[in-house]
Structure formats: structure tokens, C-alpha cells
Amino acid sequence: MKDVREEYHAEGLSEGHLHDNPVEQARRWVDEAIEAGFPLPNAMTLATVSADGQPSTRVVLLKGIEGGGFTFFTHYDSRKGEEIAANAKVSFTMFWQPFDRQMIVIGEASKVDEEESESYFASRPYASQISAAISPQSQPTSREWLEAEVEALQQQHPEAPVPRPANWGGYRITPTEIQFWHGRPSRLHDRFRYRKQADGSWVRERLAP
Ligand SMILES: Cc1cc2nc3c(=O)[nH]c(=O)nc-3n(C[C@H](O)[C@H](O)[C@H](O)COP(=O)(O)O)c2cc1C
């Protein structure tokens, strides 16, 4: 690993090209990654922190940027869900390697309303609805138990819609800080950090790489 070295050729990120609102800048970067056809352009590594201060991370999928925040869907009883219930402060990172771009968001997570979770759950493929509905996410289990539960629920609901379990839904992360990192040659990378002020405006500054 020590010998793996990537040279970044990108032209970089100039302040003049940045949107004044970092949420809109984030939308641009996600849209550009989607348009470029990258695999999993909406994958984000989400960090939560336990009540006793232990961070943990996992990949989830960004499903929307609206209401000034970033939405993903999961099980509320999962490890991440329990950690968010105890401490709403979270952070996530998205990395688009072909663009040499990294985006880091810091903020607070809150549950989206029931209708939003309901309508997203209903839009998922039948098999995904079944898997989400039977899974006690983050609990120890066995493959046999999972497959038996899938079969039982398929018999109960042979086709969509499968009822959404009450413990499955969305979170929206409202940002307090967003950083945009762009790789440049010789490690002299561009970094811009936006921090939300008490009056709701954003202050932007360049950070040393
Ligand atoms: C590419 C990818 C996408 C994923 N998307 C989601 C997702 O949108 N929601 C989710 O709950 N888990 C998703 N997972 C699974 C999570 O990484 C994780 O295993 C699960 O949410 C349980 O995490 P926890 O025990 O830390 O709460 C995804 C995993 C990968 C690798």
C-alpha cells in the first residue's frame, strides 16, 4: 500500500465556480457524478457516534437533496439509528475517484415525515420491500432464519405493496458544515469549507491541503 501513489491531474476547483450555497454545490457534484455514469455515484460513508463517544461508519445511499438537507433511508432500530437517537450529530463523506473529488458533510440527522418514508418505500422493488420488512437490521441472525422470513412474508404478500415496517424510514441530514476537496497535481489540492452562521448564511474559506 505504501507504494500506491496516484497523481491527480484535475484542473482543480476555483472559487469563482463555486455556488454560494453549499447544498446547491453538493447537488451539482452529485448530479455530475450521476451524469458521468460512475458506479454508485450516490454512495456516502456515514459516521455516527455512540452515546459513549465511539464513532462507527457504513455506506448508505443518498436518495435526495431537498429541504436544505441530504436524505437516506434505513432501519431506525439499526446501530446507526440507535446512535442517531442518542446523538443526532453525524458526518458523511462522498468520494468520486474519476473526478478526484471528495465532499464531506457535517450536520444533524432527523427523521423525515411518515408520508415521505411511505412513498419512498412503496417506490422500491418488491424484493427490496420484502427484505427490508423482514430484516431486524444490525441484529445477529442466520441465513436460514432470514430466508424463512422472506418466504413467509412473500406468502402473506405475494405482490407489492408490502406494508412498510414502522421502524424503517428516512433521515434528513441538515448540514452545518460542508467541505469540497478537489485533487490537484503534487498534492497541492483545493479545499473549500462552508460553515453555517447563526443567521443561516454561509461563510466560505479555502483550507490548506
Ligand atoms: C453500496 C452500499 C449501499 C448501501 N445502502 C444502504 C442504505 O441506503 N440503507 C441502509 O440502511 N443500508 C445500506 N447499506 C448497508 C449498510 O452499509 C449497513 O450494513 C447497514 O445499514 C447496517 O448498518 P449499521 O449496523 O451500522 O446501522 C449499503 C451498503 C453498501 C455497501
Side-chain angles (χ1 to χ4, degrees):
M1 282 182 234
K2 281 182 187 142
D3 295 325
V4 177
R5 278 199 191 82
E6 189 76 30
E7 188 57 47
Y8 299 100
H9 302 289
E11 280 173 23
L13 187 59
S14 78
E15 200 156 7
H17 286 121
L18 287 167
H19 202 291
D20 287 341
N21 183 325
V23 178
E24 293 312 313
Q25 182 61 39
R27 189 194 308 284
R28 270 188 200 165
W29 273 21
V30 174
D31 285 348
E32 284 171 14
I34 294 170
E35 280 157 24
F38 298 160
L40 294 173
N42 57 336
M44 54 191 257
T45 301
L46 171 74
T48 55
V49 179
S50 71
D52 66 357
Q54 174 64 60
S56 64
T57 63
R58 77 287 293 153
V59 174
V60 293
L61 297 179
L62 177 66
K63 288 293 170 177
I65 302 178
E66 64 266 296
F70 302 85
T71 309
F72 69 94
F73 292 87
T74 192
H75 287 78
Y76 292 139
D77 297 337
S78 63
R79 176 178 186 160
K80 74 183 93 47
E82 289 187 349
E83 293 188 350
I84 290 169
N87 176 1
K89 291 184 173 162
V90 300
S91 179
F92 71 85
T93 302
M94 299 178 85
F95 174 49
W96 299 284
Q97 187 274 327
F99 279 163
D100 296 332
R101 286 175 176 174
Q102 171 180 232
M103 179 176 86
I104 301 169
V105 175
I106 293 174
E108 292 210 0
S110 56
K111 288 181 182 175
V112 304
D113 59 37
E114 299 271 322
E115 295 81 67
E116 194 171 337
S117 295
E118 203 66 62
S119 100
Y120 178 66
F121 189 81
S123 77
R124 303 182 82 206
Y126 171 70
S128 305
Q129 293 183 1
I130 292 277
S131 302
I134 63 98
S135 175
Q137 194 180 56
S138 311
Q139 298 303 315
T141 190
S142 70
R143 193 81 213 167
E144 293 69 33
W145 185 89
L146 290 170
E147 286 172 5
E149 289 294 306
V150 164
E151 211 177 303
L153 196 60
Q154 281 171 339
Q155 275 171 16
Q156 231 179 306
H157 300 283
E159 55 189 47
V162 176
R164 175 184 66 98
N167 65 352
W168 189 98
Y171 285 103
R172 182 158 297 127
I173 298 172
T174 302
T176 51
E177 185 179 317
I178 306 187
Q179 187 192 133
F180 298 90
W181 179 102
H182 204 302
R184 293 283 296 269
S186 310
R187 302 290 184 267
L188 207 55
H189 310 304
D190 290 322
R191 295 175 68 192
F192 291 97
R193 178 180 65 188
Y194 295 68
R195 280 184 296 174
K196 199 172 202 166
Q197 306 301 293
D199 66 359
S201 64
W202 292 94
V203 164
R204 180 174 65 208
E205 54 208 341
R206 180 185 276 273
L207 300 181

